[in-house]
C-alpha cells in the first residue's frame, strides 16, 4: 500500500510516517517510480509506534522495543528482558510527573477556592 492509504488506515499523518522512516522505525520498499510501498504488517507496526510514543518513549527506545513485539495485544514479551529495567525506570519517571501534576492541581484548587483580592480598577 502507498503512504496515503497507510495514513488513512492508521490516522498517522504522512509527515509522521516519513519521520518514522527517518528514525528507522519503518522500512518501506520503494517502487520503481520512487513511491513508498508498505505491506499489511506495517499497519500494526504504526499503531504500536503511536502507542509507545504516546507513552512518552523516545524513538530510539521505540526502535529497541519493536522487534520484541509478538502479537497485536502484547507489545513487549519475555523476548527482550534487557528492556524491562529501562521501561520500569521510565514508568517511575511518569508516576513522579503525575504526582507532581496532582500536587500542582491541588494548589490551584485551593487558590481558586479562596476569594480573590479585589484589584483597583485601572484609571482611564
Amino acid at each position: 500500500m502507498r503512504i496515503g492509504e497507510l495514513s488513512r488506515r492508521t490516522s498517522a499523518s504522512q509527515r509522521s510516517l516519513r519521520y518514522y522512516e527517518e528514525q528507522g522505525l519503518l522500512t518501506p520498499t520503494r517502487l520503481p517510480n520512487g513511491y513508498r510501498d508498505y505491506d499489511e504488517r506495517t499497519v500494526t507496526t504504526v499503531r504500536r509506534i503511536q502507542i509507545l510514543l504516546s507513552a512518552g518513549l523516545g524513538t530510539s527506545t521505540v526502535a529497541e522495543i519493536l522487534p520484541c513485539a509478538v502479537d497485536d495485544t502484547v507489545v513487549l514479551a519475555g523476548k527482550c528482558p534487557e528492556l524491562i529495567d529501562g521501561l520500569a525506570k521510565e514508568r517511575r519517571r511518569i508516576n513522579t510527573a503525575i504526582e507532581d501534576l496532582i500536587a500542582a492541581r491541588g494548589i490551584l484548587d485551593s487558590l481558586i477556592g479562596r476569594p480573590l483580592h479585589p484589584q483597583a480598577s485601572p484609571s482611564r
Side-chain angles (χ1 to χ4, degrees):
M1 82 187 80
R2 297 218 311 240
I3 195 167
E5 181 180 349
L6 181 60
S7 175
R8 281 187 298 282
R9 291 183 59 188
T10 61
S11 298
S13 68
Q14 292 183 28
R15 182 177 179 180
S16 292
L17 295 171
R18 286 190 288 273
Y19 175 73
Y20 299 162
E21 181 182 352
E22 289 172 14
Q23 297 301 306
L25 303 176
L26 297 178
T27 311
T29 56
R30 291 287 185 156
L31 299 174
N33 60 6
Y35 289 172
R36 292 167 175 86
D37 186 42
Y38 299 94
D39 62 26
E40 190 63 32
R41 294 172 302 190
T42 308
V43 172
T44 300
T45 300
V46 169
R47 289 185 180 139
R48 284 187 182 124
I49 292 167
Q50 291 170 318
I51 289 167
L52 294 168
L53 291 175
S54 70
L57 301 175
T59 55
S60 60
T61 303
V62 172
E64 291 180 60
I65 292 172
L66 285 177
C68 301
V70 292
D71 61 34
D72 289 344
T73 59
V74 178
V75 175
L76 183 63
K79 272 178 76 177
C80 301
E82 68 279 4
L83 295 176
I84 299 298
D85 288 340
L87 292 173
K89 180 179 177 182
E90 182 64 18
R91 186 175 194 279
R92 286 190 299 274
R93 184 196 66 76
I94 290 170
N95 282 338
T96 299
I98 290 169
E99 291 166 7
D100 292 346
L101 287 169
I102 289 171
R105 182 182 63 193
I107 292 168
L108 288 173
D109 287 347
S110 68
L111 291 171
I112 292 168
R114 295 182 184 160
L116 299 176
H117 297 290
Q119 296 178 346
S121 56
S123 302
R124 289 187 191 210

